[in-house]
Amino acid sequence: MTALISRATADPLAPVIASLARMGIRHGKESLQGLSTGLVTSDLPTGAAQHGAGRTPGWRSAGELLTAEGVRDWLDAAAGRWSAQPHAAAALAWKCYSYWLALPAVIGFATSRRVPLMTPDHVLVRFSERQPFLTLALRRPVTAVLATDPIVASETPGLLIVEDEDELLGVLRRSLVDAHLDPMLDEVRKQARLSRRTLWGSVASGISYAMSRGFVAPPDLVLDTTHRVLDALGADDLVDLAVREQGGLDIKRRTCCLAFTLPTPKVCSGCCIRQ
């Protein structure tokens, strides 16, 4: 059973943003370059403002990337960014997008059991042929929280209250995968010759790296929580994970992101072609 709360007194995303900030301190500002500073913006996407209200060139609703035209623009930018063949550019663009999209949600679950809903209507995106290729932000965010979370008593707006952690993981899957990544993947595959397994391998790998870098906890807990999230998203069979002696996770992909096909080839550390 779920319910929406309506009066403001606190910021549901505060612990999520704090966890991301700590990740930036540990791993450098580039580790957050795909997220807008502070994660949330009040800016409107280009063309959304009416009657002279504030426009912000470059931002667009993520919902546009679920359309043929939106994906075409995005993949054209990716081809320019990486000087790559269309299928390789699409694979790298997807790897980039799915990582930054999933990062706040999975870190929110792991660190505070608060999950921002990364549905297309809540996400803004901008991309270019330069670095960083992609930046995401949230607008009018809704955050899923447990019924036992103290913030529930504060009657803060924008809460989706769930009864237990399994339901919270269900919300994570429905908002991130069912509403966003799956329909976007379908459109990408119409325009690029890529298998679903190849693309979902990047999702599994990206979530694993996000958890390894952004979830500070005993190594076994990081490993167990990562498996739990991947299993909830139907992607646990696409990576092999183990605890590293120096901390974090050893991540080995079972698919390839095709970075080795770039003009300056790159083979990622956990790529299956190394194995």
Side-chain angles (χ1 to χ4, degrees), residues 18-49:
S19 294
L20 292 171
R22 288 191 291 269
M23 177 177 163
I25 292 170
R26 289 192 305 274
H27 297 285
K29 63 181 182 179
E30 288 190 356
S31 67
L32 298 177
Q33 66 178 351
L35 297 177
S36 179
T37 301
L39 188 57
V40 178
T41 180
S42 59
D43 293 336
L44 291 172
T46 302

Side-chain angles (χ1 to χ4, degrees), residues 25 27 35 46 78 94 104 112 126 140-141 144 185 225 227 234 245 252 260 269-271:
I25 292 170
H27 297 285
L35 297 177
T46 302
W94 171 266
S112 61
R126 57 188 178 197
R140 301 191 306 272
L185 180 147
T225 307
H227 277 302
E245 291 184 3
K252 289 185 170 56
F260 77 94
S269 60
C271 183

Side-chain angles (χ1 to χ4, degrees), residues 60-77 127 183-192:
R60 62 182 73 189
S61 168
E64 293 184 35
L65 295 188
L66 274 61
T67 67
E69 182 179 359
V71 167
R72 190 177 306 112
D73 289 346
W74 177 56
L75 296 185
D76 285 347
F127 50 84
M184 185 175 175
L185 180 147
D186 290 342
E187 190 56 50
V188 170
R189 293 192 61 213
K190 290 176 184 177
Q191 300 191 33

